[in-house]
Amino acid sequence: MIKKTRAEITKCILHKVANKFNSGKNVFSEDLIRFDQESYDLMKSFLLKPFGTLTQSYRFSHHADVRLNELNNYASEIFKEENSFIEYSKNIVNHLYEQSNSAQIKTGDVLIVLIEGIEYKDVLTEAIGVFKIENKIDFFQTYLDDNKSFDMVVQKGISTKRIDKGCLILNTSDTEGTIVLSVDNNNYDAQYWIKDFLSIKLADDYNSHTQNYLEMCKEFSEEVIKPELGMQQQGNFLANTVDYFKENEAVDYATFKDEVFEDEKHKEQFDTYKKHFETLNDVLIRNNFDVSGVVLKKEKNKLKTEIKLDTNISIKLDVDAPEAASEYLERGYDEEKKMKFYKVFFNEEK
């Protein structure tokens, strides 16, 4: 999504965010971080690497006026006057603090950076990055003691393998508004980062259309198919959904229903659920859109097609094999044992 070849971190500051639910207090820095070359190179790669492969982007939202969105407002002020960077970085942390309304929201370090030379869709621009470090790792630090012998002690530090939460607010926009990129590798509370703190929504493009449709199908399988027809048919529906998206460059809502559902009853249930999903999530599910292969690959890995039984046995269905659940798996009832059963057909074990 972005290119970082010419990117430079021009300002960076570190604050600590507490948890309002536990009556904690934020701790603020007053000065910018000054890097040596080695730590600068490592930091730039650490912060920007996750955004190099992102295909989906977001836009700021607000129920009344998007100009009242806190992050949108703070970013705009920093872009207009860089000397306000430290002041508004504290406002950003205070806003993050206000969203910690439960005990499970983690405290942590917050890095806020100003980056120049970010390339997005062939446009060179600047960006404000907000990164929250929620987890630290143990590592051994060696040292020379007073007896001139080496010893070691366990310390905690930030792992450079991946960031926990982060966003880039670009100083560029399209017809939908300011472009925002976001990652969340600790999405224990999906509302907290995306909706409460950033208050952003997916851009209205084929990436978001693909994701919204697949999420709707996943929820439909869980709330309608599974209770009514069982986990085997749930897995079969999800596999057929993935197969349709793989076989078609574009989705047509009517054609999708004809290929995935055998009877009119489930088509009508799907129509009803679509309206429910749109209202509940404040999204519009498009009836026609191009398929995003990248999003399909990512989202299909989230689809659960495992049949878990109360006898401590699980049957995992391959979401990429839509015919498997119907052709090689039979469900029945044993009168003698008074138990349900699955019969699995195969040629050889792998």
Side-chain angles (χ1 to χ4, degrees):
M1 180 63 80
I2 66 165
K3 294 180 181 179
K4 58 181 181 178
T5 308
R6 289 182 279 182
E8 292 185 8
I9 298 175
T10 57
K11 295 181 186 294
C12 179
I13 196 165
L14 174 68
H15 305 298
K16 288 186 178 291
V17 66
N19 184 306
K20 182 175 66 173
F21 186 86
N22 295 327
S23 301
K25 292 185 178 180
N26 298 330
V27 181
F28 297 107
S29 297
E30 298 299 332
D31 296 313
L32 300 175
I33 296 175
R34 290 176 172 80
F35 296 102
D36 57 42
Q37 191 61 47
E38 184 179 6
S39 59
Y40 172 84
D41 292 340
L42 186 61
M43 179 63 73
K44 188 175 82 166
S45 176
F46 170 56
L47 297 182
L48 295 184
K49 184 179 179 180
F51 300 95
T53 56
L54 286 183
T55 58
Q56 293 170 279
S57 62
Y58 294 84
R59 304 295 182 271
F60 285 121
S61 64
H62 192 276
H63 68 276
D65 188 332
V66 72
R67 290 174 296 182
L68 299 177
N69 179 294
E70 285 86 348
L71 264 294
N72 187 24
N73 187 21
Y74 299 151
S76 297
E77 292 299 323
I78 293 174
F79 287 137
K80 284 191 294 186
E81 180 52 66
E82 288 189 15
N83 290 333
S84 66
F85 177 80
I86 294 178
E87 174 191 352
Y88 281 102
S89 73
K90 295 178 182 179
N91 291 342
I92 289 172
V93 172
N94 282 330
H95 176 58
L96 180 61
Y97 172 80
E98 289 299 322
Q99 313 315 313
S100 56
N101 293 313
S102 71
Q104 71 179 30
I105 302 298
K106 297 178 181 179
T107 61
D109 298 335
V110 181
L111 280 164
I112 300 175
V113 299
L114 182 63
I115 305 168
E116 295 181 357
I118 289 283
E119 187 175 339
Y120 175 80
K121 292 186 177 181
D122 299 324
V123 175
L124 207 61
T125 186
E126 56 186 339
I128 294 167
V130 182
F131 305 89
K132 185 185 179 191
I133 312 300
E134 298 181 324
N135 298 311
K136 294 187 177 181
I137 61 170
D138 294 329
F139 66 93
F140 288 108
Q141 178 65 56
T142 59
Y143 66 96
L144 193 63
D145 63 20
D146 295 336
N147 297 322
K148 296 186 178 180
S149 296
F150 282 104
D151 204 345
M152 61 176 60
V153 64
V154 175
Q155 295 182 336
K156 285 187 176 293
I158 299 172
S159 170
T160 58
K161 289 185 177 181
R162 69 174 191 177
I163 61 175
D164 292 318
K165 288 175 167 59
C167 74
L168 288 180
I169 304 167
L170 305 185
N171 191 16
T172 187
S173 60
D174 56 17
T175 56
E176 293 185 72
T178 300
I179 296 164
V180 182
L181 308 176
S182 177
V183 294
D184 185 355
N185 289 312
N186 288 344
N187 53 352
Y188 54 88
D189 187 346
Q191 304 287 325
Y192 165 63
W193 184 255
I194 293 291
K195 293 189 176 181
D196 296 338
F197 172 57
L198 296 174
S199 188
I200 52 179
K201 61 182 180 180
L202 281 168
D204 187 21
D205 59 16
Y206 75 115
N207 291 307
S208 64
H209 301 158
T210 301
Q211 178 170 323
N212 289 335
Y213 201 99
L214 289 172
E215 286 183 353
M216 178 184 69
C217 289
K218 181 177 68 174
E219 295 299 318
F220 178 77
S221 76
E222 188 68 28
E223 297 182 21
V224 179
I225 299 292
K226 179 181 174 181
E228 182 180 332
L229 301 176
M231 299 179 73
Q232 180 185 0
Q233 291 303 317
Q234 178 190 21
N236 191 42
F237 165 74
L238 291 174
N240 285 328
T241 297
V242 170
D243 189 59
Y244 178 89
F245 273 72
K246 287 168 57 179
E247 295 298 322
N248 294 274
E249 294 183 355
V251 168
D252 177 79
Y253 182 71
T255 305
F256 173 84
K257 289 191 297 179
D258 288 338
E259 292 194 15
V260 172
F261 299 112
E262 294 182 356
D263 54 57
E264 292 298 322
K265 173 187 174 182
H266 291 127
K267 292 180 184 179
E268 294 174 1
Q269 288 178 320
F270 194 67
D271 289 336
T272 302
Y273 192 84
K274 177 175 178 287
K275 296 176 183 177
H276 165 73
F277 185 87
E278 290 176 325
T279 302
L280 184 65
N281 296 279
D282 191 26
V283 297
L284 176 64
I285 301 297
R286 302 288 182 178
N287 290 333
N288 302 91
F289 59 89
D290 292 334
V291 172
S292 168
V294 175
V295 174
L296 173 62
K297 182 178 180 180
K298 182 184 72 172
E299 290 300 312
K300 78 175 184 179
N301 293 330
K302 300 178 183 179
L303 301 179
K304 296 180 180 180
T305 57
E306 187 176 18
I307 302 174
K308 293 184 178 181
L309 309 177
D310 58 4
T311 50
N312 297 319
I313 295 175
S314 297
I315 303 171
K316 189 173 182 180
L317 305 176
D318 189 345
V319 74
D320 286 314
E323 75 287 342
S326 57
E327 292 187 18
Y328 307 121
L329 192 64
E330 290 185 6
R331 192 171 189 266
Y333 184 80
D334 188 295
E335 291 289 349
E336 184 177 340
K337 291 187 175 182
K338 305 298 181 184
M339 296 176 69
K340 301 170 186 175
F341 67 83
Y342 279 107
K343 184 188 291 185
V344 182
F345 297 91
F346 65 98
N347 292 312
E348 59 183 44
E349 297 178 349
K350 293 185 177 181

